[in-house]
């Protein structure tokens, strides 16, 4: 298709458009617009998740690929780092899921040191990105840490998106 050709051209040369690379990686990963091709997805997502621009969505999708389709190709530490980068560089609320994934890895000690405070920080970050699951987890963990305003949200079952009702930013 024409879109694929245009994005491919934009992802070439010295002045690569990392957003175009990210989009190509997503298409190849999911088999949208093109036939599903995991090596191509890895190539384009890696390009889009390269310093200094690092597209958060690409880093998140790349981490997912390494956890599923390309298991064993990267260490747990490298996968954890990709999720953390994706959370830090989040470019959409969808990447709030990267914050949850990074936090879960801190709670399990998977590729990183077990660290509840780091996990809570990541949930808080995801909530600020308006990611619903991050907000729920932020409220629940901050309540466990004894923050009454967080406990009030948990008791009410209301987890406000993108606001600091459950934590102190």
């Amino acid at each position: 298709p024409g879109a694929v050709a245009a994005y491919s051209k934009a992802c070439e040369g010295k002045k690569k458009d990392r957003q175009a690379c990210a989009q190509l990686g997503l298409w190849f990963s999911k088999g949208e617009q093109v036939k599903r091709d995991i090596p191509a997805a890895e190539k384009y997502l890696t390009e889009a998740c390269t310093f200094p621009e690092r597209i958060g969505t690409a880093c998140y999708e790349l981490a997912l690929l390494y956890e599923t389709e390309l298991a064993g190709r990267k260490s747990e530490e490298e996968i954890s780092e990709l999720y953390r980068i994706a959370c830090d560089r989040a470019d959409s609320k969808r990447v709030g899921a990267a914050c949850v994934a990074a936090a879960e890895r801190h709670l399990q000690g998977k590729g990183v040191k077990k660290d509840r405070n780091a996990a809570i920080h990541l949930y808080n970050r995801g909530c600020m990105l308006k990611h619903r699951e991050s907000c729920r987890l932020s409220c629940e963990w901050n309540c466990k840490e004894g923050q009454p305003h967080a406990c009030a949200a948990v008791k009410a079952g209301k987890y406000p998106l993108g606001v600091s009702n459950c934590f102190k930013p």
Side-chain angles (χ1 to χ4, degrees):
V4 174
Y7 279 88
S8 294
K9 185 171 177 72
C11 185
E12 293 173 1
K14 288 186 178 185
K15 293 188 176 187
K16 290 181 173 120
D17 179 338
R18 300 231 194 270
Q19 288 286 358
C21 298
Q23 188 59 58
L24 283 167
L26 289 171
W27 284 340
F28 279 109
S29 174
K30 301 193 182 316
E32 297 170 1
Q33 305 276 335
V34 293
K35 184 178 179 200
R36 192 163 190 255
D37 183 339
I38 298 305
E42 179 186 22
K43 171 189 162 193
Y44 289 117
L45 292 171
T46 298
E47 189 63 49
C49 185
T50 301
F51 184 80
E53 293 177 50
R54 289 188 171 145
I55 308 299
T57 303
C59 298
Y60 174 65
E61 293 294 332
L62 189 57
L64 286 176
L65 273 185
Y66 286 128
E67 274 199 313
T68 57
E69 306 292 329
L70 301 171
R73 294 268 308 270
K74 293 288 181 186
S75 70
E76 293 296 337
E77 291 82 6
E78 290 169 305
I79 294 168
S80 292
E81 180 67 5
L82 285 171
Y83 280 130
R84 188 199 57 75
I85 290 167
C87 179
D88 288 346
R89 301 291 293 210
D91 47 4
S92 74
K93 68 179 179 181
R94 191 172 131 243
V95 184
C99 300
V100 171
E104 296 297 320
R105 289 179 153 267
H106 273 288
L107 291 174
Q108 298 165 9
K110 193 172 183 181
V112 290
K113 180 181 158 201
K114 274 190 175 189
D115 186 342
R116 240 175 40 177
N117 289 332
I120 293 169
H121 171 78
L122 289 159
Y123 288 138
N124 294 346
R125 167 82 175 123
C127 186
M128 294 305 288
L129 294 168
K130 301 183 183 204
H131 181 254
R132 188 168 307 283
E133 179 71 1
S134 295
C135 291
R136 182 184 67 77
L137 292 164
S138 169
C139 290
E140 290 175 1
W141 277 97
N142 283 300
C143 179
K144 288 178 188 176
E145 293 293 308
Q147 294 185 28
H149 51 290
C151 294
V154 170
K155 186 175 181 181
K158 295 186 179 186
Y159 310 104
L161 296 178
V163 295
S164 59
N165 287 19
C166 289
F167 58 94
K168 295 179 173 109

